[in-house]
Amino acid sequence: MSKLTRRSFVKAAGGVAAVGLAGCGAASPSIAGNKAQVIVVGGGYGGATAAKYIKKADPNVSVILIEQNKHYYSCPLSNPVLVGMRDLEVQKWGYEGLKKHGITVVHETVTGVDTGAKKVTTAGGVFSYDKLVLSPGVSFNYDAIEGYDEAATKTMTHAWKAGPQTAILRDQIDAMKDGGTMVLVAPPNPFRCPPGPYERASLIAHYFKTKKPKSKLIVLDPKDKFSKFGLFQSGWEKLGYKGKYLEWVPAGEGGKVTRVDPKTNTVYTEMDEFKADVVNVIPPQKAGKVAFLAGVANDKGWCPIDFKTFESTMAKDVYVIGDSSAAAGLPKSGYAANSEAKVAAAAIIASLQGKPAPMPTYVNTCYSILAPNYGISVALVSTLKDGKITKLSGGLSPMEATPAFRHQEALYAESWYQAIMNDTFA
Amino acid sequence: MHLNKKSLLAVAGAMIAGGVAMNADEARADMASGLAMANTCAGCHGTDGMANGPAMPNIAGQPANYLIPVMKEFRSGERYSTIMGRIAKGYSDAEIEALSKAVAGWKWTGGAENPKLAMKTGETIAMVKPALAAEGEKLAKEMKCTKCHEDGGKSTEDDMPRVAGQHLDYLLFKMEDYKDEALKMPQPKKMKKRMDKASAKELEAISHFWAANK
Ligand SMILES: Cc1cc2nc3c(=O)[nH]c(=O)nc-3n(C[C@H](O)[C@H](O)[C@H](O)COP(=O)(O)OP(=O)(O)OC[C@H]3O[C@@H](n4cnc5c(N)ncnc54)[C@H](O)[C@@H]3O)c2cc1C
């Protein structure tokens, strides 16, 4: 570990002390020697996995995870929560598991990143790093839809970051009278979880069908197609949602929303207006704010990276993983973030040891639930070829599948969730 | 299972040094990449191959002599699956071997109970019933399952997969699959004969026994 300077390490230790972690048992031994210092910003699917797998590969590396919240609420499987199929409590994870691996967890908001001086700033102190991992998720473009700003999310939720937003939308749907109308505004590409809005629409339609049969969901979409398109369309047909409980309005039929009025709960498209009882707006997205503070986002709002290592092409020793990265060929999903984290972790360890990065391998599988016991999936295995992330195999579950197949996929969705959450947080 | 990491890395190093252009498949087939590939399985099969239930199998410590042919059968479609066929197609023979050896090197750790599964998760999850498991134990002996699945299903001798302590919903699904003539699941002749004779109820009891025998 010749590259590491004692100076950067001592500063990191100072940073930890500054935020008052003196009582944290794991902190002192891991930063007491001349060790490489890795800082991970964001303790979600990407960041928590990266922290864990760096420690797993080399316990001698000192890892500090900076995460603003004490608990993490998983977006995956938060859609069933919205319709009472699932408790929000099942979505909640803490950081005790990571601390057991010897990771120092600091609950602070990162307010500045200086990639030249290799320093990260929070309200509590300044941290120096040898390697920095950024996995801050997404942030929202609040200037894209007139009237939809941060204040509006209090009543017109996005529920695209799980937690309090999930609870508000769940309660609104629960309180809605039978015979009510709900509007879901879908986002333009690229966005976190491409099938997510349509899984949400399916489950709301299921809820209306079984609990409030005079109600209807209108999905306004700025696109004409979306992920798992055929499987969703045929599912909506087979499950009896289409037309009756669920109406999807594509861009070509005027689905693009231009303005909202939170005071009257009205949504405006170029030709129409919809007054609704419940409105859910999934806004256009860009990289997490920290990526902009660090200067590693491009003019499209995402972070270009080297596909072999996930190191930023805009700043040395900074690795951007998860939704924020511009990882062409991979979806913005939790599984992809987990997979990217392992690639970055291996590349960071190799680099600290002065070795070339190993060949990356990426896997993504994504399940969507359309009704209880009705799951569909898409899979992807990819690697690096000619400098690009290239698909080796994968694809969708078959259009014509038996009920047993759909049932298995629904239960595999739950299994996936249990496995990946433990892989990330335990 | 002892992997000789050093020598494999040396070979990979020599190939680079010698200017041999490795294609992606070869490059992912060394031991370090075997582990990297195996780590991507954790998203469904859990960290180091111990899944957290309810329906995904633990793969930790399953013998390479079992994993390698099974992955190849998934890949060719000979073995029915919902998703593994789509995934296995992404790996060459050499890669399947490297990643299987890494998985075989992991330790089966008994499988901790998962507190989150006892909460309201939205799907109906099967729970082990002790009475049914006791009946299953008797049946597994009578039907000679334990002749090959030795040690109450814990054996991983040669190409024998461990079934004891496996997740219940997974076992129930697999029993259904093996029973379903249309799926033509590859299996040893002796096993097929016994599966043909067994009733769905008996197989359910045996599943409870395997799952309970941690
Ligand atoms: C409804 C829905 C359903 C989904 N379903 C699936 C699914 O089934 N499968 C799947 O694979 N994916 C799914 N996803 C996508 C998945 O949630 C994301 O792709 C994943 O969370 C991305 O991980 P990440 O690490 O990039 O970001 P996140 O998981 O969002 O983590 C970012 C973390 O960074 C922290 N942070 C941000 N800024 C700062 C700062 N300045 N200082 C300190 N901390 C900070 C945040 O608090 C957060 O904890 C779904 C998403 C949604 C919305």
Side-chain angles (χ1 to χ4, degrees), chain A residues 140 142 145-160 164-166 168-170 172 181-185 200 220 257-268 274-283:
Chain A
F140 300 124
Y142 282 121
I145 299 171
E146 194 189 332
Y148 198 73
D149 54 15
E150 201 160 355
T153 65
K154 290 205 178 84
T155 52
M156 283 184 166
T157 59
H158 54 75
W160 217 240
Q165 280 277 306
T166 315
I168 299 173
L169 182 55
R170 174 198 62 199
Q172 287 176 340
T181 304
M182 176 172 170
V183 168
L184 190 163
V185 181
R200 179 172 289 181
L220 299 173
V257 170
T258 52
R259 179 161 82 89
V260 297
D261 183 354
K263 278 200 202 86
T264 58
N265 244 11
T266 310
V267 176
Y268 299 85
F274 300 82
K275 196 168 156 39
D277 299 281
V278 178
V279 179
N280 174 217
V281 181
I282 305 168

Side-chain angles (χ1 to χ4, degrees), chain A residues 111-287:
Chain A
T111 51
V113 178
D114 182 339
T115 58
K118 298 179 92 169
K119 283 191 173 88
V120 170
T121 311
T122 72
V126 177
F127 299 77
S128 293
Y129 64 82
D130 297 299
K131 298 279 183 186
L132 176 66
V133 179
L134 299 178
S135 193
V138 292
S139 60
F140 300 124
N141 274 327
Y142 282 121
D143 48 12
I145 299 171
E146 194 189 332
Y148 198 73
D149 54 15
E150 201 160 355
T153 65
K154 290 205 178 84
T155 52
M156 283 184 166
T157 59
H158 54 75
W160 217 240
K161 294 185 183 184
Q165 280 277 306
T166 315
I168 299 173
L169 182 55
R170 174 198 62 199
D171 295 346
Q172 287 176 340
I173 293 172
D174 183 52
M176 194 186 94
K177 64 176 190 293
D178 189 12
T181 304
M182 176 172 170
V183 168
L184 190 163
V185 181
N189 291 325
F191 62 98
R192 140 180 295 185
C193 196
Y198 312 98
E199 178 189 64
R200 179 172 289 181
S202 307
L203 290 174
I204 291 167
H206 167 75
Y207 171 79
F208 288 165
K209 186 182 162 190
T210 51
K211 302 268 168 63
K212 292 175 182 164
K214 285 186 244 140
S215 314
K216 190 167 187 174
L217 172 70
I218 299 165
V219 180
L220 299 173
D221 208 324
K223 309 181 291 299
D224 284 318
K225 249 196 133 175
F226 51 79
S227 168
K228 302 177 187 164
F229 189 76
L231 282 170
F232 273 113
Q233 296 287 328
S234 90
W236 292 349
E237 197 89 60
K238 281 183 195 136
L239 293 161
Y241 301 162
K242 204 170 195 161
K244 203 152 179 215
Y245 306 104
L246 169 58
E247 189 187 335
W248 174 65
V249 186
E253 289 165 30
K256 188 178 178 339
V257 170
T258 52
R259 179 161 82 89
V260 297
D261 183 354
K263 278 200 202 86
T264 58
N265 244 11
T266 310
V267 176
Y268 299 85
T269 62
E270 270 147 10
M271 11 179 157
D272 235 329
E273 62 175 80
F274 300 82
K275 196 168 156 39
D277 299 281
V278 178
V279 179
N280 174 217
V281 181
I282 305 168
Q285 292 154 40
K286 58 188 176 189

Side-chain angles (χ1 to χ4, degrees), chain A residues 75-142:
Chain A
C75 286
L77 288 176
S78 69
N79 283 329
V81 175
L82 297 175
V83 294
M85 273 168 64
R86 190 179 181 83
D87 288 343
L88 187 54
E89 203 52 29
V90 187
Q91 302 300 108
K92 184 181 173 185
W93 296 78
Y95 292 91
E96 295 314 311
L98 293 178
K99 288 179 195 161
K100 282 193 197 126
H101 291 284
I103 296 158
T104 302
V105 182
V106 176
H107 291 294
E108 292 275 347
T109 301
V110 170
T111 51
V113 178
D114 182 339
T115 58
K118 298 179 92 169
K119 283 191 173 88
V120 170
T121 311
T122 72
V126 177
F127 299 77
S128 293
Y129 64 82
D130 297 299
K131 298 279 183 186
L132 176 66
V133 179
L134 299 178
S135 193
V138 292
S139 60
F140 300 124
N141 274 327
Y142 282 121

Side-chain angles (χ1 to χ4, degrees), chain B residues 18-77:
Chain B
V20 182
M22 288 192 290
N23 68 33
D25 288 357
E26 284 163 335
R28 289 201 310 165
D30 65 56
M31 215 32 82
S33 300
L35 182 61
M37 285 186 284
N39 277 341
T40 65
C41 307
C44 291
H45 294 286
T47 304
D48 298 344
M50 287 309 289
N52 300 86
M56 217 72 84
N58 299 325
I59 52 174
Q62 294 291 28
N65 286 346
Y66 165 76
L67 294 168
I68 294 167
V70 163
M71 282 294 283
K72 290 181 183 172
E73 287 162 7
F74 279 140
R75 191 176 59 187
S76 68

Side-chain angles (χ1 to χ4, degrees), chain A residues 380-402:
Chain A
L380 177 71
V381 178
S382 43
T383 189
L384 190 77
K385 268 187 187 157
D386 304 325
K388 291 196 181 97
I389 297 173
T390 307
K391 177 175 170 177
L392 295 170
S393 75
L396 298 158
S397 17
M399 284 289 272
E400 298 308 325
T402 59

Side-chain angles (χ1 to χ4, degrees), chain A residues 3 131 311 316-317 319 345-358:
Chain A
K3 281 201 200 144
K131 298 279 183 186
E311 184 171 1
K316 212 177 139 10
D317 294 323
Y319 297 72
I348 286 169
I349 296 291
S351 166
L352 289 172
Q353 294 173 348
K355 291 179 188 155

